[in-house]
Amino acid sequence: MPRLTVAQAVVTFLARQWSERDGVRRRLVPACFGIFGHGNVAGIGEALASADVDLPYHLCRTEQGMVHTAAAYARMTDRLSTLACTTSIGPGATNLVTGAAGATINRLPVLLLPGDIFATRVANPVLQELEDPRSYDVSVTDALRPVSRYWDRINRPEQLPAALLAAMRVLTDPVETGAVTLALPQDVQAEAYDWPDDLFADRVWHVPRPRPDASAVTRAAGLVTAARRPLLVAGGGVIYSGACDALRAFAETHGVPVAQTQAGTGALPYDHPLSLGAIGVTGTTAANAVAAGADVVIGIGTRYSDFTTASGTLFGEDARFVNLNVTGFDAAKLSGAQVVGDARESLTALDAACGGWATGSAYRAEVAELARRWAAVAEAARRSAPDARPSQTAVIGAVNDAAGPRDVVVCAAGSMPGDLHRLWRSADPKSYHVEYGYSCMGYEIAGGIGVKLAAPDREVFVLVGDGSYLMLPAELVTAVADGVKLIVVLVDNQGFASIGRLSESVGAQRLGTAYTDRSGGRLPVDLGANAASFGARLIRAGTTAQLRDALAAARAADGTTVIHVETDRFEAGPEGGAWWDVPVAEVSTTTAARAARAGYEAGRKGRRRHLHPG
Ligand SMILES: Cc1ncc(C[n+]2csc(CCOP(=O)(O)OP(=O)(O)O)c2C)c(N)n1
Ligand SMILES: [Mg+2]
């Protein structure tokens, strides 16, 4: 019966948790990130300092950033491992909310350990306490409830063992995983208790590969083998499940082309003859044309976000869906035939059930021709004259050329995720890391740290816009301090290319989308100097040739390099022609908004509901 504080028990327990899948065991929570304050320094802080266990501590600069780091780490390890995040009470805890939402939306496990106000309430109101006059039971950590897949507050030591086990179960359950929050009142953290020995035994969480129901597979195969123009849509679940080989085998055996969502990019190598690349709003003309004519869409491990379905306008009225997903919730979308199970197991079962069925050669030739036409467009966009300022798409081309096949590109928000999705050539399932479930500005550098910690043998190229950079530049300091090597390409176009373009298209006249002074002049702001002041090596690249040299130098360097490159906010890369539903003002005094509304009403006529009863 070891006598430990609650915080010491948490730390000791975490150091003994393992995940296992396919016979491979790894630490479930190998490290803890955090920022200390009065709500955790004497509890978790003291425990990390004194406990004789293997749980290294990393000081981050922002609580939001560390959740992005943990989520990126989890994505990189196919959700088999994550990081713990400790915070103080009050603002330290609420700073977790954005990161937690991002993790939960992206179905990525993160373990959050915010401090909380005294359980005994003897000292209240404590510094940073909310004080809800309707109930003393309310605290700011309640804000984490809707963004957590498991949320608990440990008001007594006796509650801890069951809560820890529940937390680990949710973290390792592919169906339920997301942010897990254990709020730890500051007095309880420091309280001692005699714990049962078994709590601290090594414990292995076996991550299952649920097999699909046989009759569901038979029904799905019936639909698939009746198809003449089928399309596979690969989502993030394909990669998490390690189903890329099964996807490729299915595609090749049956001659079915493959399109990829943002999270699914890399599931099939870009140069595979059946690869159509990106689908949806950020998709290619090739994938979107095939999607529009598809009779059966086989969605694997996808959430079918509005970016994938072009807000319901991408697929034809009569398209039928076969959805392979570990989560029943996702499998049921678009009235699809549901195959609920692990992506790899389900694909293998569907493959067998489809026997020798294959698409016709005319369809495959049509697909190849569409892919070839898009490839020519993409190739042109990826280049620009060596002595000229690069376009954003040429920046992407240069970074892609500098990256080895296993290296990773990280991005999240702005106009780059669209260009990346269409243009980046992924040869490896873990090489494309664009957070586009939450598309959270500020994710990029923090996420890059998580990627590099999980895969130190890969170079990590962080593509970040000036807007995103300004939201969370501080995590550069964490990268420098912890010796985590990143190659950050800071694409500075003095404002929001993405939302500027969107603003114009909805009649909002680009209001507030440029970083200028009140009279429209250029600001005396130097983001490169800012990055250098954080200890990163700075290279300024004015031309495409300089950018290519800078990327080579950054690769060769040991530490973190920031390459500052200016681009034109008004320039846009080639697009795939899909629609996105952003409602436009129904009445307005401006002709711009009225014209945009007319366009919007025409666009939404293309929406289908996909309610086929099956
Ligand atoms: C935290 C957060 N706030 C607001 C948004 C909405 N938003 C999406 S892109 C964008 C502008 C991004 O600017 P920048 O990083 O410079 O990229 P650019 O559009 O110039 O490519 C904004 C404000 C967001 N995605 N995330
Ligand atoms: Mg910008």
Side-chain angles (χ1 to χ4, degrees):
M1 297 279 273
R3 186 164 174 80
L4 301 173
T5 68
V6 164
Q8 290 159 0
V10 168
V11 164
T12 308
F13 174 89
L14 290 180
R16 310 251 161 95
Q17 305 307 303
W18 302 79
S19 71
E20 178 277 328
R21 192 177 70 177
D22 303 332
V24 180
R25 227 171 89 142
R26 55 174 99 200
R27 278 284 298 280
L28 177 55
V29 186
C32 180
F33 271 64
I35 295 183
F36 293 125
H38 64 282
N40 61 339
V41 69
I44 294 286
E46 189 281 336
L48 285 165
S50 72
D52 185 21
V53 296
D54 177 23
L55 195 68
Y57 180 70
H58 295 258
L59 164 60
C60 64
R61 270 54 187 185
T62 59
E63 290 89 356
Q64 178 186 326
M66 77 173 150
V67 189
H68 295 326
T69 299
Y73 188 92
R75 175 166 169 177
M76 214 47 206
T77 58
D78 291 332
R79 315 196 284 199
L80 298 169
S81 214
T82 187
L83 305 170
C85 300
T86 172
T87 77
S88 191
I89 69 168
T94 50
N95 273 353
L96 294 172
V97 174
T98 298
T104 293
I105 285 163
N106 284 293
R107 316 274 162 86
L108 292 169
V110 295
L111 177 61
L112 309 181
L113 304 172
D116 214 327
I117 52 173
F118 283 53
T120 59
R121 301 178 185 161
V122 290
N124 53 352
V126 296
L127 175 68
Q128 302 170 335
E129 179 169 342
L130 179 65
E131 279 208 287
D132 186 333
R134 295 163 300 179
S135 168
Y136 280 132
D137 191 37
V138 175
S139 141
V140 296
T141 57
D142 287 296
L144 284 156
R145 284 181 191 256
V147 292
S148 298
R149 301 305 306 269
Y150 178 79
W151 183 101
D152 211 343
R153 183 181 287 134
I154 309 304
N155 284 310
R156 294 189 52 82
E158 293 89 331
Q159 297 169 341
L160 185 67
L164 284 173
L165 297 184
M168 299 303 112
R169 184 190 72 75
V170 172
L171 287 176
T172 52
D173 181 341
V175 178
E176 291 184 46
T177 199
V180 164
T181 299
L182 294 179
L184 302 171
Q186 59 180 118
D187 52 347
V188 179
Q189 283 183 51
E191 204 173 322
Y193 186 74
D194 297 312
W195 305 95
D197 292 311
D198 280 352
L199 182 61
F200 304 119
D202 279 281
R203 197 175 295 262
V204 182
W205 298 87
H206 300 282
V207 179
R209 289 192 175 278
R211 304 246 164 93
D213 175 61
S215 56
V217 173
T218 305
R219 279 193 301 274
L223 271 172
V224 171
T225 53
R228 302 177 63 87
R229 307 177 64 82
L231 171 67
L232 285 155
V233 177
V238 174
I239 296 175
Y240 300 143
S241 145
C244 299
D245 289 344
L247 174 75
R248 184 190 192 126
F250 187 96
E252 289 175 355
T253 305
H254 307 293
V256 183
V258 178
Q260 305 179 350
T261 70
Q262 287 273 11
T265 295
L268 191 69
Y270 75 95
D271 54 355
H272 190 282
L274 287 162
S275 174
L276 288 165
I279 189 170
V281 180
T282 51
T284 68
T285 49
N288 289 349
V290 174
D295 50 4
V296 173
V297 178
I298 310 164
I300 312 155
T302 173
R303 306 162 54 223
Y304 284 115
S305 80
D306 63 344
F307 264 71
T308 298
T309 68
S311 302
T313 64
L314 187 61
F315 303 111
E317 188 77 58
D318 297 325
R320 303 287 298 276
F321 296 85
V322 171
N323 299 330
L324 280 54
N325 209 295
V326 75
T327 308
F329 175 73
D330 288 320
K333 287 176 178 173
L334 306 180
S335 298
Q338 303 174 42
V339 180
V340 179
D342 171 73
R344 198 181 78 185
E345 296 295 325
S346 300
L347 259 171
T348 307
L350 184 64
D351 188 9
C354 288
W357 165 81
T359 58
S361 57
Y363 178 57
R364 294 201 298 271
E366 195 187 321
V367 164
E369 175 57 18
L370 284 164
R372 198 195 54 73
R373 267 190 245 155
W374 170 259
V377 172
E379 179 57 25
R382 289 161 55 93
R383 314 262 152 235
S384 60
D387 53 355
R389 185 163 88 167
S391 61
Q392 178 167 288
T393 55
V395 171
I396 288 170
V399 176
N400 206 168
D401 290 347
R406 291 187 73 255
D407 295 341
V408 188
V409 65
V410 181
C411 193
S415 58
M416 273 189 288
D419 286 340
L420 278 166
H421 196 201
R422 281 182 285 262
L423 301 177
W424 190 265
R425 295 171 173 170
S426 292
D428 175 283
K430 304 310 298 186
S431 66
Y432 182 86
H433 187 116
V434 176
E435 187 281 288
Y436 215 64
Y438 209 39
S439 187
C440 185
M441 291 169 77
Y443 177 90
E444 296 86 347
I445 292 169
I449 292 173
V451 170
K452 185 70 180 179
L453 287 175
D457 58 326
R458 300 177 189 240
E459 294 285 359
V460 177
F461 293 85
V462 172
L463 284 176
V464 60
D466 51 329
S468 260
Y469 177 82
L470 280 168
M471 285 235 181
L472 224 54
E475 292 311 318
L476 253 187
V477 181
T478 306
V480 169
D482 284 16
V484 179
K485 180 186 173 185
L486 302 179
I487 300 171
V488 179
V489 181
L490 170 44
V491 179
D492 189 349
N493 54 20
Q494 282 103 56
F496 306 161
S498 52
I499 305 300
R501 216 172 294 145
L502 180 64
S503 170
E504 191 171 318
S505 78
V506 299
Q509 305 173 61
R510 291 188 174 258
L511 172 71
T513 61
Y515 289 146
T516 57
D517 61 25
R518 298 305 297 181
S519 53
R522 194 181 163 117
L523 292 174
V525 170
D526 185 345
L527 296 183
N530 173 269
S533 80
F534 288 161
R537 184 156 169 267
L538 171 69
I539 308 180
R540 296 185 198 268
T543 65
T544 307
Q546 286 169 5
L547 173 62
R548 289 181 180 270
D549 289 347
L551 287 161
R555 271 199 85 105
D558 281 338
T560 288
T561 301
V562 173
I563 301 171
H564 183 261
V565 53
E566 291 200 8
T567 56
D568 180 353
R569 193 168 66 244
F570 294 90
E571 214 171 50
E575 296 196 356
W579 187 73
W580 185 34
D581 193 341
V582 178
V584 176
E586 205 168 353
V587 293
S588 175
T589 55
T590 72
T591 50
R594 287 199 297 271
R597 177 71 194 189
Y600 174 70
E601 283 172 11
R604 72 177 179 178
K605 288 207 178 84
R607 192 197 323 275
R608 287 105 191 187
R609 302 302 298 272
H610 301 304
L611 297 172
H612 198 287

